[in-house]
Amino acid sequence: MDTKKLKFNSKLIHSGDFKDEFGSAVTPIYQSSTFSFRDAQQGADLFAGKEKGYIYTRIGNPTIDALENKLAELENGYRGIALSSGMAAVNTVYMTFLEKGGHLLSTAAVYGPSRGVIESHYAKFGVEFSFIDTSDTSQIEKAIRSNTKLLFIETPSNPTIQITDIRKASEIAHKCGIPVVVDNTFSSPYLQKPLDLGADVSLHSLTKFINGHADIVGGALIAKDENLYNRLRKTMVYLGCNMDPHQAYMVIRGVKTLSLRIDRAQESSMKIATYLEKHPKIAWIRYPGLASYPQHELALQQMSGFGAMMSFGVKGGFEAGKNLMDNVKLATLAVSLGGVETLIQHPASMTHASLPVEARLLSGITDELVRYSVGIEDVEDLIADLEQALDCV
Ligand SMILES: *Cc1c(COP(=O)(O)O)cnc(C)c1O
């Protein structure tokens, strides 16, 4: 069956599926580091790429392949690459496209470590960088230099929930021959398909919505074409940041319910955001589904749903935010996001604490900002939890 022709929910279940000789209903775990050759000639042919097959699990493995093919079909890409973590995916992108004297252009409020590793490590090797507000595409145009090698955008961004117009950003970058990579972690393939909007590579932390059960760490890259895929795959194999077969099995299992989980979580998110927006102790709230959200129209255009991530400020600043987190009982105080359980965290003191204060504030990550990742609990319970916690603030 050509699973590429199926609709999204059918692809979640069937794309990439590996049928073994026993007719197993799900893709088995091939927990083997190496694969034997029939004879010397086959070994030679596999290495030369003349025959398709498996050599060594860092290079490729049937269980990992199944996940890679599934993810690629979900976003209409040429092929996927699964990696040990989202940061492994980020570093594979950086190592592929950046070079000494080359320039990276990226979203200021990008995932903390995606920026941190540039400033602390790549800078040592002579990589130049600008972190700008890519949600204003005219700033991208102005910041491009003759040595710009990569436009790396995260949309919606973490944790400021700002949206970058992928189509426009890609047009601007492509005019100058610059590849575009989109960190699509916050939306998942269900809500946003960056390659369809003109990007060259889509990146995911599988740890979040795609696996969705807070029980593994993983990453993925989905390339638009064969050339990009080969370049990225080669970097991954050299870096040795491959996914493990068991990890791949877990993600294959988790991703099957992606749309069911997100449907529930974003329906609840809308109700929670509407509740918080009216609450007297809330200073501001950013959720793309609210009509008051400044980029609501753009969200409607490029995403097929508003997701399950929001950020808001509690009146009373840092202390009030901290107070809220100490008083929620149902939401778990933890970093990460996109799981079946609702999570709450305070970026200024947690995920983005390593950023210099001025850079953090410039990126819109203010002291009072609280990030809330909505899970699939009953929304009445989540609202009651916020209500009692806000009463204590
Ligand atoms: C979590 C996250 C990452 C990094 O992924 P890991 O799996 O933790 O390495 C990258 N980008 C975004 C937007 C994330 O939320």
Side-chain angles (χ1 to χ4, degrees):
M1 187 183 31
D2 183 4
T3 48
K4 283 199 183 76
K5 294 200 175 114
L6 296 173
K7 295 175 75 173
F8 190 84
N9 294 311
S10 308
K11 281 183 181 173
L12 281 177
I13 311 299
H14 297 289
S15 286
D17 249 21
F18 184 92
K19 299 286 183 219
D20 71 359
E21 59 186 298
F22 305 111
S24 61
V26 298
T27 301
I29 310 175
Y30 284 84
Q31 198 74 42
S32 182
S33 61
T34 194
F35 297 85
S36 60
F37 309 132
R38 246 184 351 257
D39 50 34
Q41 189 56 47
Q42 192 203 13
D45 288 347
L46 283 169
F47 270 100
K50 285 188 199 153
E51 187 180 327
K52 277 201 187 321
Y54 299 102
I55 298 172
Y56 185 61
T57 282
R58 174 159 48 76
I59 304 169
N61 171 289
T63 313
I64 301 170
D65 256 17
L67 174 62
E68 292 175 338
N69 290 328
K70 191 188 283 291
L71 295 174
E73 288 195 12
L74 294 178
E75 285 193 4
N76 308 315
Y78 168 74
R79 183 80 158 78
I81 301 170
L83 306 98
S84 57
S85 69
M87 279 311 295
V90 171
N91 278 297
T92 296
V93 163
Y94 290 166
M95 286 290 260
T96 301
F97 296 108
L98 300 178
E99 61 190 40
K100 185 180 175 194
H103 173 243
L104 163 74
L105 193 53
S106 181
T107 307
V110 76
Y111 181 70
S114 299
R115 177 169 177 162
V117 71
I118 289 289
E119 291 170 340
S120 67
H121 286 70
Y122 289 83
K124 288 193 303 195
F125 302 113
V127 171
E128 299 169 16
F129 51 85
S130 313
F131 289 96
I132 61 160
D133 178 6
T134 52
S135 72
D136 172 3
T137 41
S138 71
Q139 285 205 31
I140 300 178
E141 224 151 5
K142 283 186 213 137
I144 286 179
R145 302 183 194 163
S146 57
N147 60 340
T148 301
K149 299 291 176 198
L150 171 66
L151 174 63
F152 186 98
I153 54 187
E154 186 178 311
T155 179
S157 64
N158 177 14
T160 54
I161 323 285
Q162 279 163 303
I163 297 184
T164 297
D165 187 331
I166 298 174
R167 204 183 289 277
K168 242 191 221 160
S170 302
E171 275 168 20
I172 294 167
H174 288 159
K175 255 188 251 161
C176 306
I178 301 164
V180 180
V181 177
V182 175
D183 185 334
N184 199 28
T185 300
F186 265 42
S187 297
S188 89
Y190 182 45
L191 301 182
Q192 182 167 273
K193 297 181 179 58
L195 306 184
D196 288 355
L197 296 165
D200 301 290
V201 178
S202 171
L203 181 152
H204 290 279
S205 166
L206 302 175
T207 318
K208 316 296 168 54
F209 288 100
I210 290 184
N211 180 59
H213 292 74
D215 49 12
I216 64 104
V217 169
L221 294 169
I222 301 157
K224 179 185 72 175
D225 62 34
E226 186 177 6
N227 174 43
L228 283 167
Y229 166 75
N230 286 336
R231 287 177 68 192
L232 291 162
R233 164 76 60 183
K234 190 171 169 187
T235 311
M236 184 279 281
V237 170
Y238 278 157
L239 286 174
C241 51
N242 59 286
M243 180 167 267
D244 176 83
H246 182 260
Q247 217 180 342
Y249 171 84
M250 295 289 279
V251 184
I252 291 170
R253 178 175 142 136
V255 76
K256 289 184 182 178
T257 53
L258 179 71
S259 53
L260 291 172
R261 287 184 276 111
I262 290 186
D263 280 344
R264 163 76 72 94
Q266 67 181 0
E267 195 185 319
S268 300
S269 298
M270 194 64 212
K271 289 180 182 156
I272 292 166
T274 307
Y275 162 79
L276 288 174
E277 192 172 33
K278 292 191 197 116
H279 199 288
K281 288 189 181 169
I282 298 296
W284 56 265
I285 172 158
R286 239 176 268 139
Y287 177 65
L290 291 174
S292 62
Y293 176 78
Q295 295 170 290
H296 181 67
E297 284 306 311
L298 178 57
L300 273 171
Q301 273 171 37
Q302 80 176 12
M303 298 164 71
S304 56
F306 302 117
M309 294 301 303
M310 64 184 74
S311 59
F312 54 85
V314 184
K315 284 182 189 162
F318 190 89
E319 283 308 314
K322 228 174 128 195
N323 223 317
L324 177 78
M325 279 181 293
D326 283 338
N327 282 295
V328 287
K329 295 193 172 82
L330 185 58
T332 305
L333 176 54
V335 300
S336 197
L337 57 104
V340 289
E341 59 288 299
T342 296
L343 300 178
I344 191 166
Q345 71 114 342
H346 182 234
S349 65
M350 298 171 185
T351 43
H352 291 70
S354 64
L355 273 183
V357 180
E358 311 83 68
R360 174 167 64 74
L361 293 176
L362 264 178
S363 314
I365 305 162
T366 47
D367 287 345
E368 77 283 6
L369 187 151
V370 170
R371 190 180 80 180
Y372 197 67
S373 167
V374 180
I376 62 171
E377 299 94 337
D378 282 298
V379 67
E380 294 81 7
D381 289 333
L382 291 172
I383 290 178
D385 182 41
L386 285 168
E387 177 120 332
Q388 63 80 26
L390 283 165
D391 281 347
C392 300
V393 172

